[in-house]
Amino acid sequence: MPAIGRNDPCHCGSGKKYKKCCEAKDQAKEHSMIETQWNQAVKAKEKEAADESAAQKEPAGPGVIAKKPEPAKHAPPKHQPFMAPKTSMPRRTGGG
């Protein structure tokens, strides 16, 4: 379906502007579709994490040395904090 503008005639044939007729319904349908995809992705990620943790908890066979997990490395800050420029000019005083 081609992109429809808010002020174009509605695609349902009512003769009203799209923003007054079907825009809210179309947005609600799109939102529910995106939310469904999000929930499916969350469930898949949780299942993947559960499978991974179950694989890590399996006992190692004889003669197999389990690796120690590496400690988390802290990343340096991405940005420096803001510092106002220093000037030798005095502050303005008085009214006016």
Side-chain angles (χ1 to χ4, degrees):
M1 188 161 93
I4 186 168
R6 287 175 39 103
N7 290 321
D8 292 339
C10 188
H11 56 81
C12 70
S14 65
K16 296 181 182 178
K17 287 186 178 182
Y18 175 68
K19 67 182 176 184
K20 297 279 187 178
C21 188
C22 292
E23 182 181 27
K25 291 185 280 185
D26 290 347
Q27 286 179 347
K29 185 172 27 170
E30 183 179 351
H31 177 76
S32 66
M33 183 176 60
I34 291 172
E35 190 171 358
T36 303
Q37 290 174 349
W38 178 270
N39 290 334
Q40 290 173 351
V42 167
K43 286 179 184 178
K45 190 69 172 172
E46 288 173 351
K47 185 175 187 249
E48 182 180 307
D51 291 346
E52 185 176 306
S53 65
Q56 289 179 355
K57 290 181 182 179
E58 290 181 5
V64 176
I65 300 173
K67 293 191 326 185
K68 290 184 180 179
E70 294 184 23
K73 296 179 181 176
H74 296 287
K78 293 182 179 181
H79 304 285
Q80 294 181 345
F82 175 76
M83 294 182 64
K86 296 180 180 177
T87 64
S88 60
M89 293 179 59
R91 287 188 168 170
R92 290 182 62 182
T93 57

